Amino acid sequence: MVKNRAAVPRAGAGTLLTLIRTGRASTRADLVRLSGFARSTVAQRLDALLEAGLIVPAGDAGSTGGRPPETFAFNRHAGVLLGADIGGSHTRVAVTDLGGHVLAETEADLDVADGPDAVLAWVTEAFARLLARVGREAADVRGVGVGVPGPVDTATGRLVSPPIMPDWDGVSVPERLSRALPPGAADPVPVVVDRDVNIMALGEQKAGGHDHPDMVVVKIGIGIGAGLIVGGEIYRGAQGAAGDLGHLRRGTDEPCRCGNRGCLEATAGGWAIRRRLVERGYDVRTSQDIARLARRGDHETVRLVRQAGRLIGEALADVVGLFNPSHIVVGGNLAEAREPLLAGIREVVYERAQVLASRDLQIVPTTLGHRAGTIGAALLVHERLYDADRISAALG
């Protein structure tokens, strides 16, 4: 995992665990220096972390003389995490170790409009299949992270008036998944829910090599959304609805699937491109189908994807002017079209954004690809499980 630059809270054993699991410290000397604790305090809290199975001895570090110092590592093998990335037309799930490294994964074309019963039933069945595949049991599950394509009350995991998910309004995903976890699951298992673009941003930041304090992660598939990272942390806004890029008005009168008119998605989302291609006789169902056609060089598809990139670039140029990020990371199924989409975005952003805000701006593709969401979902619950204050309250 990429090192966490955020200040570590001075909170007992949780402080030491945070230093170890983020890679900032591995020896007693490191822990004393970075925590400010006395050596005796560090020794006591290391013993508590070892006894709880949260860390393990990792051998001896190199030494320039004398006895090599003992090192410690986060115990990523003491259980598993489940992650689900529920998109507008496609869902991916994964089992990871406690550090967010993928052990097994699967995916399916699922329309979120089919409703929570159908989609969450598939998710829980897929979790059970993946656990069996990696030889783990429900009792090994330490937490579940879920991303959904709509606004979420992150305190409760309840969806709030999601524009493209009318049957999901008021649904508590944690309640549904907690009831549906396989028999034998630990009780209680935390289920943490956030918007799909936020978990993708978390995945790219923590595991994708994009550890930048101010950046935008754009997800372009059937719909369009943006995850904002401000000062190294995900910015969700007052009600958790920040980053709804796809429903910004762009001066057209095209009807949008959210019920409004003139939204960016109505002209640049994968569902809008699909509609135009179907009108021209193409057999396409998903944004992945569109991306495949673009990679094969189909002239009409490339033209539509590049035009979509330009329209998205117009919206992102406004975001750059308001937010001044250092990086824009572009992902999602439609981003698999690669150069036509990225070229369209770059062309307009660099042309229209203020010179100072765009001078050092980098617009780059995702490094995690389709795994960004599921890894981010696992890391979302990882952050909750190993919160420094929570660990300190339990271990001192």
Side-chain angles (χ1 to χ4, degrees):
M1 292 175 60
V2 177
K3 294 180 181 179
N4 185 350
R5 294 175 181 162
V8 178
R10 296 175 60 82
T15 298
L16 303 190
L17 181 63
T18 298
L19 290 169
I20 292 169
R21 72 181 176 83
T22 57
R24 296 174 61 189
S26 61
T27 67
R28 295 175 191 268
D30 291 337
L31 293 167
V32 169
R33 176 173 54 86
L34 292 173
S35 71
F37 296 161
R39 295 189 69 87
S40 59
T41 302
V42 167
Q44 291 169 358
R45 290 172 179 167
L46 277 176
D47 287 344
L49 292 169
L50 287 163
E51 186 175 350
L54 293 173
I55 62 172
V56 291
D60 294 331
S63 176
T64 57
R67 182 179 177 181
E70 184 182 11
T71 63
F72 302 92
F74 174 66
N75 187 4
R76 64 173 61 246
H77 304 298
V80 294
L81 303 174
L82 305 178
D85 180 13
I86 299 173
S89 64
H90 199 83
T91 294
R92 295 183 175 92
V93 299
V95 176
T96 77
D97 66 19
L98 296 182
H101 292 256
V102 174
L103 304 176
E105 59 191 335
T106 190
E107 59 188 303
D109 290 330
L110 293 174
D111 192 334
V112 75
D114 290 342
D117 291 342
V119 174
L120 295 179
W122 182 86
V123 167
T124 53
E125 290 167 5
F127 281 155
R129 292 196 304 271
L130 293 179
L131 285 170
R133 186 187 304 176
V134 299
R136 291 286 197 158
E137 305 200 355
D140 296 319
V141 176
R142 299 292 179 263
V144 184
V146 182
V148 293
V152 178
D153 179 346
T154 54
T156 65
R158 192 177 300 276
L159 278 87
V160 182
S161 301
I164 64 168
M165 307 165 68
D167 292 340
W168 293 71
D169 186 25
V171 169
S172 172
V173 175
E175 286 181 11
R176 295 285 191 101
L177 287 182
S178 293
R179 292 198 304 264
L181 282 172
D187 185 23
V189 170
V191 180
V192 188
V193 185
D194 206 339
R195 293 176 64 232
D196 56 350
V197 290
N198 288 341
I199 65 166
M200 179 178 169
L202 184 63
E204 291 290 340
Q205 180 197 31
K206 299 294 185 183
H210 299 295
D211 189 12
H212 311 294
D214 299 289
M215 70 175 184
V216 178
V217 179
V218 186
K219 182 177 183 180
I220 308 171
I222 287 296
I224 302 169
L228 308 177
I229 293 181
V230 181
E233 302 292 333
I234 293 175
Y235 178 76
R236 296 179 173 87
Q239 307 300 333
D244 195 4
L245 190 71
H247 298 286
L248 295 179
R249 293 291 298 272
R250 302 311 301 168
T252 73
D253 197 43
E254 291 280 349
C256 183
R257 58 185 181 152
C258 73
N260 292 323
R261 305 183 77 87
C263 298
L264 177 62
E265 276 191 15
T267 53
W271 74 277
I273 298 173
R274 178 181 63 188
R275 185 181 69 243
R276 293 187 177 93
L277 288 173
V278 169
E279 289 170 354
R280 290 161 173 76
Y282 286 77
D283 180 18
V284 292
R285 294 179 298 166
T286 69
S287 50
Q288 289 175 306
D289 294 337
I290 297 168
R292 278 191 288 268
L293 284 170
R295 291 198 304 273
R296 292 172 189 164
D298 179 80
H299 176 75
E300 183 63 14
T301 305
V302 168
R303 184 186 71 81
L304 289 172
V305 168
R306 179 147 189 159
Q307 178 59 21
R310 293 190 185 101
L311 293 169
I312 295 167
E314 289 180 7
L316 286 174
D318 293 341
V319 172
V320 169
L322 288 169
F323 174 46
N324 187 204
S326 65
H327 289 70
I328 296 175
V329 180
V330 181
N333 287 336
L334 196 60
E336 293 177 8
R338 297 172 189 160
E339 193 53 33
L341 186 71
L342 275 172
I345 292 172
R346 287 170 174 152
E347 173 188 340
V348 176
V349 170
Y350 290 131
E351 176 187 334
R352 299 185 60 161
Q354 300 173 21
V355 174
L356 181 61
S358 62
R359 183 177 61 194
D360 298 318
L361 174 68
Q362 295 187 42
I363 303 174
V364 297
T366 169
T367 53
L368 295 180
H370 68 269
R371 283 184 163 181
T374 48
I375 290 175
L379 292 175
L380 181 71
V381 72
H382 171 98
E383 296 290 328
R384 174 75 62 86
L385 282 170
Y386 303 112
D387 173 76
D389 291 336
R390 180 178 181 275
I391 296 300
S392 294
L395 301 181

